[in-house]
Amino acid sequence: MSALLNVILPVFLVIGFGWVAARAGKFSESAVDGLMRFAQTFAIPCLLFNSIARLDLSETLDISLFVSFYAGAFAGFALGFLGGRFLFGRPLTDSVAFGFACMFSNSLLLGLPITERAYGSDALAANYAIISIHSPLLYATGILAMELARSRGQNIGGAVLAMQVLRAILLQPLVIGIALGFFVNLSGLTVPEVVQSALDLMIRAALPAALFGLGGVLYRYRPEGDAKAIAWVVAASLVVHPAITYGLGAHVLGLTTDQLRSAVITGAMAPGVNAYLFAHMYGVGKRVVASAVLIGTGATILTAWGWLHLLP
């Protein structure tokens, strides 16, 4: 019970404050959009830049960690896609959107604060290692799959498709922050103290602003229709992904305790808002994905509690 009260509920209370403020009309849609733009375009990229620049890459970038986590993520994508296509008879493009939602766990807005509150800030190295390739790898997979689904039957060259995927990935602010962090880390450059002080101010605002804004975003969504498809996406996200990660990490690949905690907790998070943004960008599967983000975020209160009890 202490894990629920002290670790998980404070995170969701901040989200809840944002939801209540939006519902009461004190937090307009334009204000929500502005806060989320600040968090996702500026503050969180600063957080990622700072964290990646300081990582001990030789200790942190462990292939076993990546295999454990991303095997679960890609299994989620397969389940979402196959379920959408063959169980629910949805078009290829909708099925890709379902798959993307199943694999794109909310590693930043939920995974980071819950892991930090549970195990302390010193336990986040594996979180940042996972996040360092999370957006580039999963966006590349989702965009490539979607472009292939959309171009089925059309004569689009491989070079054109590759450029479309590459451009979409490189324009992501999160990816830019991660890339700059790797550059500073590998080059041995030192961030000037005045710049570091400014970064620290941005970083302190990143997660609280993003969590409060997430509450406002979730208020817009209404769980309606397609109950079976929504349940399928939520189950793949909250159960299948972390279960595969736990099985591989604990019993096959021998992750350290810190690595296992970070990988499983990150994998156990609900589909991120980026899953809805992906569906919205292509105009497919929006109702199912939006509802899965909303319901999955609420269900994470209980499922994350369960995983915290299971983990060493």
Side-chain angles (χ1 to χ4, degrees), residues 7 34 96 169 174 176 178 192 199 201-202 225 251 259:
V7 175
V96 170
I169 295 168
L174 300 181
I176 294 171
I178 290 167
L199 280 172
L201 288 173
M202 292 287 284
H251 303 297
Q259 287 176 327

Side-chain angles (χ1 to χ4, degrees), residues 32-225:
V32 172
D33 290 339
L35 183 60
M36 291 302 288
R37 183 177 295 277
F38 162 75
Q40 294 185 315
T41 306
F42 302 104
I44 289 178
C46 286
L47 169 66
L48 294 178
F49 164 80
N50 193 63
S51 302
I52 300 297
R54 295 180 171 189
L55 275 183
D56 184 344
L57 298 180
S58 63
E59 294 287 335
T60 307
L61 299 185
D62 186 335
I63 187 65
S64 296
L65 172 67
F66 291 146
V67 170
S68 297
F69 180 83
Y70 287 104
F74 287 119
F77 180 86
L79 278 174
F81 177 81
L82 295 174
R85 186 65 176 158
F86 298 108
L87 284 181
F88 309 116
R90 302 296 286 261
L92 279 174
T93 50
D94 281 18
S95 301
V96 170
F98 295 177
F100 189 85
C102 290
M103 75 171 173
F104 205 100
S105 55
N106 199 335
S107 59
L108 278 170
L109 305 192
L110 296 181
L112 270 182
I114 288 177
T115 305
E116 182 177 21
R117 292 192 63 81
Y119 306 115
S121 57
D122 292 338
L124 295 178
N127 287 67
Y128 287 120
I130 290 168
I131 291 168
S132 71
I133 64 170
H134 192 259
S135 288
L137 179 60
L138 299 191
Y139 264 109
T141 301
I143 292 168
L144 178 60
M146 185 64 78
E147 295 296 340
L148 287 173
R150 295 175 72 198
S151 63
R152 189 182 184 191
Q154 302 177 22
N155 186 21
I156 296 180
V160 174
L161 180 60
M163 286 302 298
Q164 289 176 345
V165 173
L166 188 61
R167 183 169 58 250
I169 295 168
L170 294 179
L171 291 177
Q172 295 289 329
L174 300 181
V175 175
I176 294 171
I178 290 167
L180 290 175
F182 273 118
F183 174 76
V184 170
N185 191 309
L186 295 172
S187 67
L189 293 173
T190 301
V191 178
E193 185 175 348
V194 63
V195 176
Q196 186 61 54
S197 296
L199 280 172
D200 290 341
L201 288 173
M202 292 287 284
I203 290 166
R204 284 197 290 271
L207 289 179
L211 289 171
F212 191 84
L214 177 60
V217 171
L218 291 177
Y219 175 67
R220 299 177 185 174
Y221 301 155
R222 300 289 188 275
E224 50 185 2

